[in-house]
């Protein structure tokens, strides 16, 4: 998929605390040059008390892992 680097689409992330132990994360993608229509995904995650929230990283075929903090 060829893209012009100066014309990105829009990604919106919403984090909502549903209850003391449950967080809802919604990601919406709107990029008409990459997708035929906007799409979104919503997931729920259990909150781990006294820990840091870490993003999930997919390593399959990842070429930029050297940029991630270790």
């Amino acid at each position: 998929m060829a893209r012009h680097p100066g014309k990105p689409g829009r990604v919106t992330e919403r984090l909502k605390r549903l209850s003391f132990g449950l967080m809802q994360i919604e990601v919406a993608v709107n990029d008409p040059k990459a997708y035929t229509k906007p799409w979104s995904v919503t997931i729920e995650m259990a909150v781990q008390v006294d820990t840091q929230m870490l993003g999930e990283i997919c390593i399959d075929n990842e070429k930029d892992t050297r940029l991630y903090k270790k």
Side-chain angles (χ1 to χ4, degrees):
M1 162 173 57
R3 296 266 316 166
H4 187 282
K7 303 282 185 181
R10 174 173 286 191
V11 176
T12 305
E13 297 175 302
R14 291 188 179 94
L15 288 86
K16 183 178 180 182
R17 188 174 181 177
L18 300 176
S19 65
F20 178 74
L22 193 60
M23 180 181 293
Q24 182 182 64
I25 302 169
E26 178 183 345
V27 179
V29 178
N30 186 357
D31 190 345
K33 291 187 177 182
Y35 302 102
T36 56
K37 62 181 181 177
W39 61 273
S40 66
V41 63
T42 302
I43 58 173
E44 293 181 0
M45 297 183 77
V47 177
Q48 301 292 321
V49 180
D50 295 329
T51 62
Q52 291 182 345
M53 188 170 89
L54 301 174
E56 295 181 37
I57 300 172
C58 180
I59 305 292
D60 293 346
N61 202 26
E62 181 58 58
K63 305 291 191 245
D64 295 322
T65 55
R66 68 186 184 285
L67 302 175
Y68 299 135
K69 291 183 179 181
K70 295 183 180 186

